Amino acid sequence: MIKLRPFFLKSEFEEARNVIVKYIQEEAFAEEMQRLKIIKPIKQHSKLLELCPYLDENEILRVGGRLRNVKLHENTKYTVILPKDHVVTDLIIRHYHHKHLHTDNQLAHSAIRQLYWILCARVAIKRITWKCVRCARLCSALSQKLMGDLPPSHANPSRACSKVGVDLSGPFQVEPRKIRGIGEYACHEGICLRICVYLEMLGDLSSDCITAALKCFAARRGKPD
C-alpha cells in the first residue's frame, strides 16, 4: 500500500508550476516559441519583441535583458512571461492581491514582477481588483453633503467696509524716541465682505482708546452699518 505524504516538496511545486506555465505559453505565444526553438528571431510586429524573450532549459519563455551579472535569483532576473487574459493569470493576480491584504495596485504589481511578467499588467490587475468586493466597500465614494445658502451679507452687494469685526491682541513692546519699553496693543478690525485686516495701535485697553481707534477707522474707511 502506497502511503501519501501530507505535504509537497518544493521541487514538486516548481515542477507543477513549470508545467502549467509552459501550457499557458504554448497557447498564447505559440508562434514566438516555435521560432525561438529553431533559433530564429521573432517577427517585428510581435508584442514580445521589446522583452528580448528566450527559452530556458525547461522551454519556458522568459524575459531577457542585461542582468546577467546581477546577484539575484534567476527567476527574479528573468521573469516568466504570461498573457494578460488567461484564467491562470487572474488567479495569480488574485493570490498576490489577497496575500498583501488588498493593497493598492502598485504594490501588487511590484510583488508579481518578482516572478512573472504579465503583458499589460496594470490593466489586468485593475480588472481583478475592481471585482474585489472588499476593496469596493473600502474604496467607495464618500457621500457629499449639500452646503447651506450663503448669508445675506455675502450674497447681496454692498459697499466696502460695511461689515466689520473687532479684535484685540498684544501687548507688544515698542520703543518710541523718548520713552522706552512702552507696551501697546493692536486693534484688529476685520472687514467681513472683503478679506482684509485694518490695524490700529492702542496705548491700553481702556474704552477711550478703543473708541478712538473705531473713530479713526470710520474717518478713513467710512462708518460701518
Side-chain angles (χ1 to χ4, degrees), residues 71-89:
K71 295 181 180 180
L72 292 175
H73 195 272
E74 294 296 324
N75 293 334
T76 304
K77 290 193 296 184
Y78 308 109
T79 53
V80 177
I81 302 176
L82 292 178
K84 67 174 182 178
D85 50 357
H86 197 277
V87 61
V88 177
T89 305

Side-chain angles (χ1 to χ4, degrees), residues 64-115:
R66 304 163 58 190
L67 302 179
R68 181 177 301 177
N69 298 325
V70 178
K71 295 181 180 180
L72 292 175
H73 195 272
E74 294 296 324
N75 293 334
T76 304
K77 290 193 296 184
Y78 308 109
T79 53
V80 177
I81 302 176
L82 292 178
K84 67 174 182 178
D85 50 357
H86 197 277
V87 61
V88 177
T89 305
D90 295 345
L91 292 176
I92 292 174
I93 296 174
R94 191 174 290 110
H95 165 71
Y96 280 94
H97 180 65
H98 289 282
K99 180 181 179 181
H100 292 274
L101 304 178
H102 301 267
T103 182
D104 58 341
N105 298 343
Q106 186 67 26
L107 182 57
H109 188 197
S110 177
I112 292 172
R113 275 196 172 181
Q114 300 298 321
L115 292 177

Side-chain angles (χ1 to χ4, degrees), residues 3 13 42 45 66 73 78 86 99 101 104 112-113 152 159 163-165 175 195 199 205 215 218 221:
K3 294 183 179 180
F13 274 110
I42 59 178
H45 64 271
R66 304 163 58 190
H73 195 272
Y78 308 109
H86 197 277
K99 180 181 179 181
L101 304 178
D104 58 341
I112 292 172
R113 275 196 172 181
R159 66 178 180 84
K163 304 294 181 181
V164 178
E175 295 184 0
I195 304 176
L199 298 178
L205 297 180
K215 289 182 179 180
R221 301 297 179 180

Side-chain angles (χ1 to χ4, degrees), residues 168-171 184-186 202-210:
L168 300 177
S169 63
E184 295 194 1
Y185 297 85
L202 303 180
D204 51 36
L205 297 180
S206 62
S207 58
D208 294 337
C209 288
I210 297 176

